[in-house]
Structure formats: structure tokens, C-alpha cells
Amino acid sequence: MFQSLQMFGPVALWSPFFLLMLAAVALLYIGITGPWRQRFGLGDAVSEKQKAYFLTGIALLYICKGSPLDLMGHLTFTAHMVQMAVLYLIVPQCFILGIPAPLYERAFRITAVRRVFRLLTKPIVALLLFNGLFSLYHVPFIFDAVKMNMWLHAFVTSVIFVAAFCMWWPLVNKLPDWQTLSGLKKMGYIFADGMLLTPACALIIFTDTPLYATYTDPKAWMAALALCVPQGTLASLDLTGPQMFLSMSPLHDQQLGGVLMKIIQEIVYGTMLFFIFTEWYRKEREKEPSMDMEPRPTKL
């Protein structure tokens, strides 16, 4: 399939402007956490592990929104769902863990920022916000409208990304003043998160007809392609419809996308559940009195 994508040209395949923007963000981060760290009050607060998290997030963000995967997400629903899974379930965690605590503290000194963020990261609010927006986005008429409008698409995907950041915050942030969930509550939070995302995936997987015009109607499909392919390039191509790039029916492509989304979600949530349980178990063991500290019976 990659060979057939070459017809769209390097701009559509590799998004050079987006790559330059992310490279600038990465260089700025390296400067703030490296040579300029004293100016930003970071001192030795940034570990190599944190840097790796942030730069991994930048790399995954480019793969999702700048690499051929982004173009493929406009061609097949399967690629779209893989793109969404990585973008919303993995990338936000990398950024939360990669941003140094002093930078969060600086931002939270602004009263409006602190109040809004505290509201949006309340566990129930964060769960309903992300899962509600994600499910609403995949309602067919909304999905098609968003996919065919560049500015609406950028706005909606950005809002869902912010909601995903807020959803992951109660689970993975390391700031002492922002720990709203204990170990057991975190496990319940993950179970609730998985349950809330299930109906949207189930609708996509078990429906018996294709839901989205942008993957079945040639005109809608071309309009969606215009979001990532330069107009001149698109006009020069002889494209007949999405079936050119599908090795299966549109219905099976849609169902496979839903299945992959659910599988990736289960892997991510299961991994998070394992680490949370391990941390909770370790802390519980630390609370138990040591056998060496127990008083020994006196000899008669």
C-alpha cells in the first residue's frame, strides 16, 4: 500500500511544516531542560527519563499527525482508529510525565488556569468529558462533517486531545498536591474508563452497514482527502474512491478499525492497571510491621 501512497507526494506523506514545528518544540524543550534550566528554576529537577517521555510523545505525535499514517487515516477507517488510539491513549501520558513539575507549578500560579484545570481533571468530569467527546465525534453525521472541514477537524481533534490529557492526569501525574485518587480508586477509574468507551466501539464493530460517508462516498472521500493533500496534487490524480486503497469491504474495514481500537485500549489500560496494582501492593506491604521489629520472646 505504501507504494500506492507515493502518488500523493512528499508534502502529503510527511507534512514537513508540521515536522519543523514539532522539531522547534523539541529543541525548545531540550533548551529549557538543559542549558537554560536555571533560568526556568528547574535546577536538577528533570531526569533523563522525563526527557525521554516528552521526546517520545513528540515522536508519536508526528507519527499520528505528520507521517503517512495521517494520510492513511483519511483513506481507511482502520488506519484512522489506530491513529486515534495512539494519539489519545499514549501520547498524553508521555507529555504529562515529561513536563517538569516546576513548569506545572508556574502555570498553576495563574488562578484561572489552576481553577479550570482542577475542574477538568476531577475524575468524574475527566472521564465523562473524554469518553463523551470521543463517542460524540464518532456519531456518523458529526464525523463526516468534521472530516470534510479543515478548521473544524483541527479544532475538534485538539479539544479531544486536551480532554484525553485531563483524563490521564489523575492516573499518571506526579505532583503531590494533585493526587486525587488512591491506588484502589485508580483501578476503579480505569475500569470505568474502559466501560465508557465500549459503547462507541461496539456500535462501530457490530453494525451491519458502513456508517461513514467519508469512507464510502467518493465525493465525501475526496473532500476529506483535501485536508491533507495539496489541492494541486489532488486535482492531478485519477482517483475513483476509497476502494482503490482497500483490500476488504468498507464494512469490514470499519469493523476492523473498531476491533483494533478496542484491542489497543485494552492493552494500554491493562498495562496501566498492572503498574498501579504493583505500586499499591508495594505500598501496602511497606505499611506492614517488619518481622525484624517484632519483640522476641524472653527466655525463662
Side-chain angles (χ1 to χ4, degrees):
M1 182 177 181
F2 186 75
Q3 290 295 328
S4 62
L5 296 180
Q6 300 295 328
M7 70 173 71
F8 294 104
V11 173
L13 281 173
W14 300 107
S15 305
F17 299 110
F18 187 62
L19 176 61
L20 288 173
M21 184 185 75
L22 290 184
V25 172
L27 289 173
L28 179 63
Y29 176 85
I30 291 170
I32 290 173
T33 58
W36 310 331
R37 64 181 181 275
Q38 300 299 336
R39 298 182 186 179
F40 288 87
L42 299 184
D44 298 324
V46 186
S47 66
E48 293 302 316
K49 189 175 181 180
Q50 276 186 295
K51 294 178 184 178
Y53 274 127
F54 188 88
L55 295 177
T56 298
I58 290 289
L60 290 176
L61 182 58
Y62 175 70
I63 290 172
C64 288
K65 300 298 291 182
S67 78
L69 178 60
D70 185 47
L71 174 60
M72 291 169 63
H74 288 79
L75 298 174
T76 71
F77 188 77
T78 297
H80 163 78
M81 291 303 274
V82 171
Q83 180 188 25
M84 295 295 98
V86 176
L87 184 62
Y88 297 138
L89 301 183
I90 300 175
V91 175
Q93 296 188 65
C94 294
F95 287 148
I96 292 171
L97 293 170
I99 297 174
L103 294 184
Y104 283 123
E105 291 165 359
R106 280 194 171 199
F108 295 151
R109 289 174 193 165
I110 303 172
T111 303
V113 171
R114 185 177 65 254
R115 289 178 176 174
V116 170
F117 195 70
R118 192 174 291 279
L119 172 64
L120 295 180
T121 55
K122 286 182 180 295
I124 293 179
V125 174
L127 278 178
L128 294 177
L129 183 66
F130 169 70
N131 289 287
L133 288 174
F134 185 86
S135 299
L136 195 62
Y137 171 49
H138 287 93
V139 171
F141 76 91
I142 296 176
F143 184 90
D144 290 330
V146 170
K147 274 287 191 179
M148 290 186 282
N149 185 297
M150 181 177 66
W151 297 110
L152 186 59
H153 184 264
F155 173 76
V156 169
T157 53
S158 298
V159 168
I160 298 176
F161 185 84
V162 171
F165 189 97
C166 294
M167 183 271 289
W168 283 110
W169 179 264
L171 288 173
V172 301
N173 91 84
K174 303 299 183 182
L175 276 65
D177 294 339
W178 291 79
Q179 299 299 314
T180 55
L181 294 174
S182 62
L184 287 176
K185 289 181 179 178
K186 284 183 178 181
M187 287 185 263
Y189 184 91
I190 293 174
F191 280 118
D193 207 356
M195 289 177 62
L196 288 170
L197 198 61
T198 297
C201 292
L203 175 65
I204 292 168
I205 294 169
F206 296 111
T207 185
D208 56 359
T209 57
L211 296 174
Y212 305 109
T214 43
Y215 294 105
T216 55
D217 180 4
K219 289 184 179 179
W221 181 73
M222 287 290 287
L225 269 181
L227 271 64
C228 61
V229 180
Q231 193 61 45
T233 302
L234 199 58
S236 67
L237 299 175
D238 184 21
L239 301 175
T240 58
Q243 290 76 17
M244 293 179 62
F245 301 91
L246 286 175
S247 58
M248 62 188 85
S249 69
L251 177 60
H252 289 156
D253 172 50
Q254 177 181 294
Q255 292 171 334
L256 178 60
V259 168
L260 288 178
M261 176 68 189
K262 192 62 182 171
I263 289 174
I264 296 172
Q265 176 218 329
E266 293 296 336
I267 292 172
V268 172
Y269 287 8
T271 303
M272 179 62 64
L273 195 61
F274 171 78
F275 283 113
I276 289 173
F277 177 79
T278 302
E279 183 182 8
W280 170 80
Y281 182 75
R282 178 181 56 80
K283 289 181 178 179
E284 290 298 310
R285 288 297 301 269
E286 289 174 354
K287 293 178 183 179
E288 296 178 2
S290 173
M291 295 297 293
D292 295 335
M293 298 298 292
E294 292 182 1
R296 294 180 180 180
T298 57
K299 294 183 178 180
L300 298 177

